[in-house]
Structure formats: structure tokens, C-alpha cells
Amino acid sequence: MGSPEEARVRLPQLRLDELLEELQARLDAARGTRDRVHSLLEAVLSVGRELDLEQALRSIVEAAAVLVDAEYAALGVIGPDGRRLSAFHTVGVTEEEIARIGPYPEGHGILGELIRNPEPLRLPKLSEHPSSYGFPPHHPPMNTFLGVPIRVRDQVFGNLYLTEKRGGGQFDEEDVSVTLTLAVAAGVAIDNARLYEESRLRERWLGANAEITHSLMSGAERAEVLGLIAERAREITGAALAVVAMPMEETGSLTVELALGAEAEALRGLVLPAGGNLIGEAFSTVAAVISADVSEDERMSAGPLRLTGLGPAVAVPVGTGDSGVRGVVLLVRASGDTPFTGKETEPLQVFAGQAAIAMELAERRQDAERIAVLTDRDRIARDLHDLAIQRLFATGMTLQSAGRFIEHPEASERVARAVDDLDETIKIIRSTIFGLRTRDGAGGTGLRARAVRVVGEAAPVLGFAPSVRMEGLLDTDVPKEVADHVVAVLSESLTNIARHARADRAEAVLVTDGREVRLSVTDNGVGVPPGGRRSGLRNMAERAEQLGGTFELTEPADGGTSLVWRAPLKQP
């Protein structure tokens, strides 16, 4: 046992060691804080450099996991409804694990708690929170949890979710502070990425408008321009299907002139009423119409425009109420894709409006060119009448009078023939003048309009609207005599369905390839009753035979009847 003096010597030494240890601890803490601040600054700079939105979100999740030393991290983007997650970005879980776990969460349980209450949430054990109801099968175990909201201009964009702090520790207040700081930087980065994305999108729309205007002003065919409108709209919006429907002035219906992408083959030539479906509603209201899912939308399933395997859709009128609607563009994304938003629809409407203006300018230019041609025809006709015919007539009179003085019989006969030739030439020129002065009128009603009218008149009797699809130059290539037979056969076939088939669905397809016209009418009814009257079918067959065509009636294995009537366009 030492003396009191030795004890007094050792006491300052112990206090010095304690002070040195405390100083070392504070130096380590300061060094750790410095390193963490450096890491935070690096994370903020890294996140701020990204202009691509998807890559920016990925960088935010990775930076958050590193900053708080979390094994798992995720960023959930809140959907337009403000209640569910529309996208989910993860770190720490492999693709194989994600595939085993199943679909990404939509925002229930703890994730939904942050959506409902966008405030920092720190939990020592996830399962002890009242909102927690467990994990799906194959999900890795998670206990410690830290959640922080990400705001973009006072609006909650999404949430950062961090779980399983490495080393078995708990997330502390410093972790919350660091994550909140990163969330502020993330909000700025997301906003910048969004603005950059919007500017690029606007640039693509402007480029598409310029391309369409150039194509129209260069004299491209309408079908080519419509195809360009549909293709560019489909590319820019990421749609799986693009449809362009144009109005039929004679009937007020809409016909699908062009379709690109999924289900396109079944839609081309389809005739739609101006109401009761997405395209008709956009046409009649002169406003964009959005559907969250066409597979569950009554406006699609109730009419002939049925789409399977597709999801969100938007129909936009081409034109405005002041200048008239020239058509409708329908864009449909694949099932499960993000719905169309107002920000996406606005530039699409501007694009469609400018396309309509370009179409109108092109039509005005064509009208001006047509007027110039007609004016030139009038000038040519006037010159032919005033100059050529008068001179020929004078020459004929001269030869005729000179023929009296010719004594040689053969010479006199030749002069007489020359006079006759001049008279014939004058007749030809007069016929040419008449042709030049005749304007192309809109004479008669085309086969398309007549067919649509027949189908529309049959709808009240049938109790439903039959589907109609038409392809080819029906109004141009099909002669009136053949068109009359086609209309009669179509009317008779729909009448037979109404009287005998007890069907709730029917489809008429009218097609011409320039060589023949083919009419197909199918229904899902009970088929042809045995022993029933067949005078109507006999009339259809006789009409086909009269034109040198064929008539065939079959009963498919899945029920109903299928009628195919053909006739050549050039009669033997």
C-alpha cells in the first residue's frame, strides 16, 4: 500500500488519461462527422449531375444506402392518385430475388403509412408497428427501418425506404438528418430531370410537327401523312397501338383509316358511331378523352372497338371546334403501363391541332392549284374555240368553195374528204372543250356511305349495332350496278339475322382489291334453321350468278353463320 503522496501523484495521471481518451473520442467523432459530410456532399453532387429521370432515381437510392450504411434501400414513386406507388426502385435485392418475391408493392402497410403521413419515420423493429402486416414469401428479413419523404416543389414525389442498418445497429437521429438533406437534394435533382425530360419531349413534338408540315406541303398523299401522324405520336408517347379515325360526311360516322401496332389488323376499316366509344366521344366533345384501362372501360367493351391485352388510352381530336374536327387519334399503351397524364396530353393536343392546321393549309394549297388548273383549262378551251375551231372552219369553207373549180374527179374527191376530216376534227375539239369545262362534281352517293346507312338502319331491328369494316377504293372501283347488288345483299343478310339468328353480335366486312368486291357477314346466332324459307338466300345467290360471282353460306364450328358474297368488277 503506497503512501498518500504517491496516491496524489497517480490521481492527476489518471485524470490526464481520461481527458486524453475523451479528446481522442471527440477527434474520432469529428473525423467521422467530417467524412460523413464529405460523403453527403459527394452524394448530393452525384445526384445533381443526373438529367435522365430514371438514372437520377437510381443514384438517389444508391447514395441513401451508402450514407446511412443500410443493407436495403428503395425509392417509391407515388402515383397520380396520391394513394399508391406507381414505380419502385431498389438496391440490395437481386433480380432473381425480385422475381421470386413477385410484383412490386403498391403502398400498403408501413409504405402506405409514409404516403398518408409524409414525415420521417424511424423504427427499431418493423413488425412492431401497428401498420405492419408482414412480408410476402421469399422476402428477405428486415427489422430496422428509416423512411423519409421526397418533395418536389411542395409536392410529395415519393419516399425513401431504408432497412437493416449494417452491423446490427439502429438508425439514429444523425441518419435521419443526413437522409433528409439528401431528400432535399433529390427533390431538386428530380425537378431538373423532369424539366429536362419535358424540354426533350417538347423538342420531339416540334420535330414531328415540322416533318408533317413539310410532308403535306410537298404534296404527299393523305394516307402517307396520316401514317406519319400516327407513327410519330406512337413513338413519342410509347404507345403500343395508334389509330387514326376520320369522319364520313354522308353519315356522320367515323371510319378507322389507319391503325399501327397491336390489334391493328382487326381495326383497319372499322366504322364507328360518333358516340358511345372513346374515339366517338373525343370527336363529339372536341376534347381529349382518357381511359385508365381500355380492357375494363365500358366505352370500349360495349361497342365494336374491342381491344385485348392493352391498358391506358387517350383519344385526341385532330382540330378544334372553330375550324372543325378532321379526325381523331387514339393511342393505347400496353396493359400495366402508366396511364396518360395531363402533362402528356397537352403537347399531344397541340401536336394534333398543328397537324390539323397543316392539313388545312395543304388543302387550301391544293384548292389554289385546282383553281389554277381549271382557269388554265378555261383559257385553253377559249383559245381552241375562238382560234383553232374558227380557223379550221374557215379552212374547210375555203376548200369547199375551191372544190367547185376542180375538174379532176380524184382531186375533187380528195378535197371533199379533207373537208369531212376537218368537220370531224372540229367535233373532236368541241368534245375536248366540253371536257375541259366540265368540273368534277360529287355526283351520287358512294358505296361506303350506302353500306353504313344500311347497317345503321338495321341496328334498331337487330337490337345492337353491327360491326362494319371496309377496305379498298369502294367508291371508285366498284361500278354502280355492282354496288346496287352489294347493298341489296347486305340489307337482306342483316334482315335474315334479325329474323332468324337470335344473335347479339354481327360483323360486316366489305373489301375490294380492284378486281372483285367481297362482302362477308358473320353472326354468333343459332345458324340456319332446318326447313326454313330460303328465298332470301336464293336471291343473294342469283345476284352473284348474274354478275359472274359466287355465294357461299357456312356454319362455323363455334356457332352462328358466315356469308361470303363475291362479284367481279369487270363484267364478262
Side-chain angles (χ1 to χ4, degrees):
M1 188 172 182
S3 63
E5 291 184 4
E6 290 177 351
R8 282 196 298 271
V9 172
R10 284 199 302 271
L11 186 58
Q13 183 67 40
L14 289 172
R15 288 178 179 174
L16 180 61
D17 291 341
E18 290 175 1
L19 290 172
L20 288 173
E21 288 175 3
E22 183 179 350
L23 178 60
Q24 185 64 44
R26 292 190 178 185
L27 287 173
D28 292 340
R31 191 178 294 110
T33 302
R34 181 200 63 187
D35 294 342
R36 197 161 197 184
V37 169
H38 286 170
S39 299
L40 177 60
L41 290 174
E42 289 176 2
V44 169
L45 292 173
S46 173
V47 167
R49 280 194 293 265
E50 296 295 344
L51 287 176
D52 180 78
L53 182 58
E54 291 298 313
Q55 190 56 45
L57 298 178
R58 168 66 57 180
S59 298
I60 292 166
V61 179
E62 292 174 350
V66 171
L67 281 174
V68 298
D69 206 16
E71 187 173 351
Y72 305 105
L75 193 156
V77 180
I78 299 175
D81 60 1
R83 296 190 300 270
R84 291 182 297 178
L85 300 176
S86 61
F88 209 71
H89 303 265
T90 62
V91 166
V93 185
T94 64
E95 293 294 332
E96 292 77 11
E97 289 175 319
I98 292 172
R100 286 199 301 270
I101 294 169
Y104 282 118
E106 294 185 355
H108 305 293
I110 295 295
L111 306 188
E113 182 68 24
L114 265 175
I115 296 175
R116 292 185 294 272
N117 303 299
E119 298 293 336
L121 179 63
R122 181 163 56 96
L123 302 173
K125 195 171 183 62
L126 268 169
S127 58
E128 295 178 354
H129 193 277
S131 298
S132 177
Y133 58 79
F135 296 105
H138 309 293
H139 196 286
M142 295 181 181
N143 291 300
T144 54
F145 174 85
L146 173 59
V148 172
I150 297 176
R151 287 180 169 83
V152 178
R153 296 190 180 187
D154 299 328
Q155 181 182 1
V156 179
F157 172 84
N159 295 304
L160 268 174
Y161 307 111
L162 302 151
T163 60
E164 290 300 287
K165 189 173 179 70
R166 298 182 188 276
Q170 300 286 331
F171 293 109
D172 54 26
E173 288 297 332
E174 190 174 339
D175 292 327
V176 175
S177 178
V178 168
T179 311
L180 282 172
T181 304
L182 178 65
V184 173
V188 175
I190 292 168
D191 194 29
N192 289 338
R194 275 179 165 180
L195 292 173
Y196 177 70
E197 194 174 84
E198 288 174 8
S199 66
R200 288 185 61 190
L201 190 62
R202 196 177 300 113
E203 184 180 352
R204 293 183 69 186
W205 283 121
L206 289 173
N209 272 315
E211 188 178 2
I212 289 166
T213 303
H214 175 74
S215 180
L216 281 166
M217 294 306 174
S218 300
E221 294 293 329
R222 189 177 81 155
E224 180 183 344
V225 175
L226 292 179
L228 192 60
I229 291 173
E231 185 60 37
R232 294 297 173 266
R234 186 167 75 107
E235 288 175 359
I236 295 174
T237 60
L241 170 68
V243 173
V244 178
M246 307 297 284
M248 301 176 67
E249 294 182 1
E250 301 90 345
T251 62
S253 302
L254 295 158
T255 179
V256 177
E257 291 207 9
L258 187 137
L260 301 173
E263 300 284 332
E265 196 65 34
L267 297 175
R268 294 191 187 103
L270 197 65
V271 178
L272 305 169
N277 57 80
L278 284 184
I279 292 178
E281 189 174 331
F283 180 79
S284 59
T285 61
V286 197
V289 180
I290 296 176
S291 173
D293 189 350
V294 293
S295 63
E296 299 179 359
D297 196 319
E298 293 181 356
R299 293 170 295 183
M300 302 295 283
S301 58
L305 193 64
R306 295 181 177 89
L307 302 173
T308 57
L310 297 172
V314 61
V316 177
V318 180
T320 62
D322 298 330
S323 60
V325 182
R326 296 177 173 271
V328 176
V329 176
L330 173 70
L331 299 169
V332 190
R333 286 176 173 155
S335 179
D337 273 5
T338 56
F340 286 91
T341 63
K343 285 190 175 181
E344 286 182 294
T345 306
E346 287 174 10
L348 178 59
Q349 287 180 283
V350 173
F351 168 74
Q354 290 178 341
I357 293 172
M359 292 170 71
E360 184 175 355
L361 290 174
E363 287 177 6
R364 296 285 177 87
R365 181 180 60 80
Q366 290 172 355
D367 289 342
E369 290 176 353
R370 194 177 297 113
I371 290 171
V373 169
L374 293 175
T375 303
D376 203 36
R377 283 184 180 183
D378 284 342
R379 181 187 59 77
I380 294 170
R382 187 171 58 252
D383 290 346
L384 286 172
H385 182 273
D386 295 345
L387 301 176
I389 288 182
Q390 298 303 327
R391 289 187 178 185
L392 288 173
F393 186 76
T395 303
M397 293 291 291
T398 302
L399 288 174
Q400 206 169 20
S401 61
R404 301 194 200 102
F405 302 102
I406 300 174
E407 297 180 357
H408 195 285
E410 290 185 6
S412 179
E413 185 180 351
R414 287 188 178 183
V415 170
R417 282 202 305 267
V419 172
D420 291 340
D421 289 341
L422 285 173
D423 287 341
E424 190 64 30
T425 302
I426 289 172
K427 289 180 182 178
I428 293 172
I429 293 176
R430 287 187 187 279
S431 176
T432 303
I433 292 172
F434 178 78
L436 287 170
R437 285 179 170 170
T438 301
R439 272 45 168 190
D440 296 329
T445 304
L447 177 56
R448 281 178 177 267
R450 295 175 67 188
V452 172
R453 191 176 297 113
V454 168
V455 172
E457 291 171 353
V461 181
L462 289 165
F464 60 89
S467 171
V468 187
R469 187 154 53 91
M470 293 185 275
E471 295 181 19
L473 302 175
L474 295 166
D475 294 338
T476 305
D477 289 348
V478 182
K480 184 179 184 303
E481 297 78 9
V482 179
D484 290 342
H485 286 287
V486 171
V487 172
V489 171
L490 176 60
S491 178
E492 182 70 27
S493 61
L494 292 175
T495 301
N496 286 344
I497 293 173
R499 287 177 178 172
H500 311 296
R502 297 202 295 273
D504 60 10
R505 189 170 68 250
E507 180 182 28
V509 179
L510 187 56
V511 180
T512 182
D513 58 1
R515 296 186 297 274
E516 70 167 13
V517 61
R518 185 179 78 253
L519 171 65
S520 304
V521 181
T522 59
D523 66 76
N524 66 340
V526 297
V528 180
R533 295 180 57 188
R534 295 177 177 265
S535 56
L537 299 178
R538 187 165 55 250
N539 290 339
M540 296 183 207
E542 289 175 356
R543 287 180 182 276
E545 291 173 7
Q546 182 181 341
L547 298 174
T550 61
F551 171 75
E552 181 182 5
L553 182 70
T554 59
E555 297 187 28
D558 55 352
T561 57
S562 175
L563 177 153
V564 180
W565 189 92
R566 300 170 184 265
L569 299 182
K570 294 182 179 179
Q571 301 305 308

